[in-house]
Amino acid sequence: MNTINIAIDGPAGAGKSTIAKMVSAKLGYIYVDTGALYRTIALYITENNIPDDEIVKSLDGAEVSLKFIDGAQRVYLGDRDVSDLIRTPEISMAASKVSTIPAVRDYLFEMQKKIARENNVIMDGRDIGTVVLPDAQVKIFLTASAEERASRRYKELSDKLGCPCYEEILSDIIERDRNDMNRKTAPLRQAEDAVLVDTTNLGLEESAEEISRIISEKLSSGGKM
């Protein structure tokens, strides 16, 4: 089966998930948020108080799965839909740490590859264009300044109880960037054939339009086969 794979990589808070979701809906592709898989592993480890030296052998009990309901991705831990539970700052930081563990990446790798083999997908993450889908027809590296990403995150959380201050969010983003770029396994980096898109001065709609334009141009010219 010949499928179209679009890889979107970039740092935390760059808008990958929101933009990829908008574009996938427009194109009729399945959207795969790989970060949600790592967050779910982090939730599993956190809820079960699993120590670092027990993480690898505990993975078989995690039972992580994706379901696509009316075109929307939902992530499950066992039979629980945890799509909302995994979006806290605590789980974000935990996910950044567990993603550095090679066994965790191996555990989730084949699941991601299988979805891409069987569907037209827009998949976002940190190492999609470099590791997971190196032969994707379209690769995009989406970024924005750390300050802009922190501002967006603060606005998203500001009406929620216990929202961290802007400075704390900025510090977390800078730390996540450092962790993601310096991990030994599949570090965050722009693939050589990826198109760089900086959304610091772009709104969501403008960003989605730019990504859609790039995808259209790449696919019409044959993409990367």
Side-chain angles (χ1 to χ4, degrees):
M1 178 180 180
N2 294 320
T3 58
I4 295 173
N5 294 168
I6 297 166
I8 300 181
D9 291 306
K16 298 186 303 295
S17 297
T18 303
I19 293 168
K21 205 177 297 181
M22 293 168 68
V23 176
S24 63
K26 178 179 179 181
L27 297 178
Y29 292 3
I30 283 179
Y31 162 63
V32 183
D33 172 10
T34 61
L37 299 174
Y38 289 97
R39 287 170 178 267
T40 304
I41 293 290
L43 178 68
Y44 168 73
I45 291 167
T46 302
E47 287 186 337
N48 291 282
N49 297 309
I50 298 170
D52 291 350
D53 60 354
E54 298 286 329
I55 290 175
V56 174
K57 62 183 180 182
S58 74
L59 290 175
D60 286 341
E63 297 182 13
V64 178
S65 62
L66 291 178
K67 296 182 181 180
F68 297 93
I69 302 172
D70 296 328
Q73 173 187 285
R74 306 297 293 180
V75 61
Y76 282 74
L77 184 56
D79 59 0
R80 278 194 304 153
D81 183 341
V82 296
S83 304
D84 298 324
L85 292 176
I86 61 175
R87 297 299 171 182
T88 66
E90 176 191 10
I91 296 302
S92 293
M93 287 305 298
S96 183
K97 291 176 182 177
V98 301
S99 68
T100 65
I101 302 172
V104 172
R105 306 196 73 82
D106 290 343
Y107 174 80
L108 298 173
F109 183 75
E110 185 52 39
M111 181 190 303
Q112 298 168 50
K113 296 281 284 185
K114 184 175 186 294
I115 294 171
R117 283 196 302 268
E118 297 176 353
N119 302 276
N120 293 333
V121 300
I122 294 182
M123 187 177 292
D124 79 59
R126 302 288 192 281
D127 63 346
I128 308 306
T130 54
V131 176
V132 181
L133 301 177
D135 295 319
Q137 290 94 333
V138 184
K139 298 179 186 179
I140 293 166
F141 192 86
L142 192 68
T143 191
S145 70
E147 292 76 13
E148 176 62 20
R149 287 182 279 139
S151 177
R152 293 172 184 173
R153 184 65 172 159
Y154 179 73
K155 289 176 183 177
E156 180 184 342
L157 297 174
S158 60
D159 61 346
K160 297 181 180 178
L161 186 65
C163 172
C165 65
Y166 167 82
E167 289 75 15
E168 184 178 348
I169 293 173
L170 177 59
S171 177
D172 285 347
I173 281 178
I174 291 172
E175 182 180 352
R176 286 193 69 186
D177 286 353
R178 183 164 51 246
N179 290 342
D180 289 341
M181 289 187 290
N182 293 303
R183 67 191 181 205
K184 292 182 180 179
T185 303
L188 170 66
R189 64 181 177 82
Q190 181 180 342
E192 291 183 3
D193 52 349
V195 179
L196 176 65
V197 178
D198 189 326
T199 68
T200 300
N201 298 310
L202 298 178
L204 271 180
E205 291 292 342
E206 291 174 307
S207 299
E209 286 177 8
E210 177 64 7
I211 297 301
S212 296
R213 183 190 66 76
I214 292 169
I215 291 171
S216 177
E217 287 185 358
K218 285 284 187 179
L219 292 181
S220 65
S221 64
K224 179 182 183 300
M225 305 300 290

